[in-house]
Every structure is written in C-alpha cells, then in structure tokens.
C-alpha cells in the first residue's frame, strides 16, 4: 500500500508560479514511480509529468514541457511539481499518483492516487 498526500495548491494570477508537493508513505513506496495528473471541470484526467523513483528520469506531456518541472527527494519521500508561467487553462485539480513505470501516461496504469489539490489561475 502507498499513501499519497498533495499540498501547495491555491489561487494564483496568470503568469505566476506554484509549487505542488506530494508526500508518499507506505512500506512499498520505493517500488513505485510517481506522476502528476490534472483534471479540469468537465474534462478527463490528463497526464502532466512523471519521474522514476530510482533514476530520476522524467517524462512530460508535450504541451507542458518547459513550463512544468517534476522532481523528487527520495530521502523525504516527496515529489514536487514546479509550475511556472501559469495560464487560466492550467486551472484544475492536480493529483499525485504512483505506478510501476514512469513511462505510463494513462490514468488506468497508475495504482495509487492522492486526494488532489486545487489550482486556480485567474486571468
């Protein structure tokens, strides 16, 4: 079992930045790579970025490359998502997820999920 708790969401103006954090716990947490997804109202949950627990290798949604950065701190069992130059269309609930491979980009491929944190970008 893996437990995931997100934090860091909030309200920010367009062009601003936010840093989300995901605290992971559980006996098998080290066996899972981590990812961020987001879900806007009325839309499907979509892949944002992922990171390998062991190597730190990363994978990003093409549309978000250059603005978002995922990182991890294995000593603290945390994963962060730095979001820069935010746009109103980035408004969504952001979820942390754990899965067997950071290559995975589909919701169904991830085994554990956090409760989500709301990010609202005002224009």
């Amino acid at each position: 079992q893996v437990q995931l708790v997100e934090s860091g969401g909030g309200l920010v103006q367009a062009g601003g930045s936010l840093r989300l954090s995901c605290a992971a716990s559980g006996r098998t947490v080290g066996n899972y790579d981590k990812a961020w997804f987001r879900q806007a109202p009325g839309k499907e949950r979509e892949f944002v970025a992922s990171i390998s627990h062991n190597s730190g290798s990363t994978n990003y949604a093409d549309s978000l490359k250059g603005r978002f950065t995922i990182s991890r701190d294995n000593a603290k069992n945390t994963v962060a998502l730095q979001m820069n130059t935010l746009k109103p269309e980035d408004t969504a609930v952001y979820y942390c997820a754990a899965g067997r491979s950071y290559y995975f980009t589909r919701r169904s491929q991830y085994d554990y999920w956090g409760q989500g944190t709301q990010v609202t970008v005002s224009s």
Side-chain angles (χ1 to χ4, degrees), residues 9-78:
L11 174 64
V12 63
Q13 287 190 331
S17 298
L18 272 179
R19 185 177 178 86
L20 306 182
S21 184
C22 173
S25 60
R27 188 171 56 85
T28 59
V29 65
N31 295 340
Y32 291 86
D33 293 342
K34 309 302 186 300
W36 288 95
F37 282 72
R38 66 184 185 183
Q39 188 165 16
K43 294 188 176 181
E44 296 289 322
R45 193 170 299 187
E46 65 173 353
F47 172 79
V48 173
S50 58
I51 189 165
S52 167
H53 176 84
N54 292 327
S55 69
S57 297
T58 58
N59 187 25
Y60 292 92
D62 287 342
S63 61
L64 299 175
K65 284 180 182 176
R67 290 198 301 125
F68 288 16
T69 303
I70 190 171
S71 60
R72 82 208 192 304
D73 184 337
N74 286 350
K76 297 180 180 179
N77 279 331
T78 58

Side-chain angles (χ1 to χ4, degrees), residues 80-96:
L81 184 69
Q82 178 67 41
M83 305 185 294
N84 297 328
T85 320
L86 283 162
K87 306 174 182 180
E89 51 263 44
D90 293 319
T91 294
V93 177
Y94 283 72
Y95 295 91
C96 182

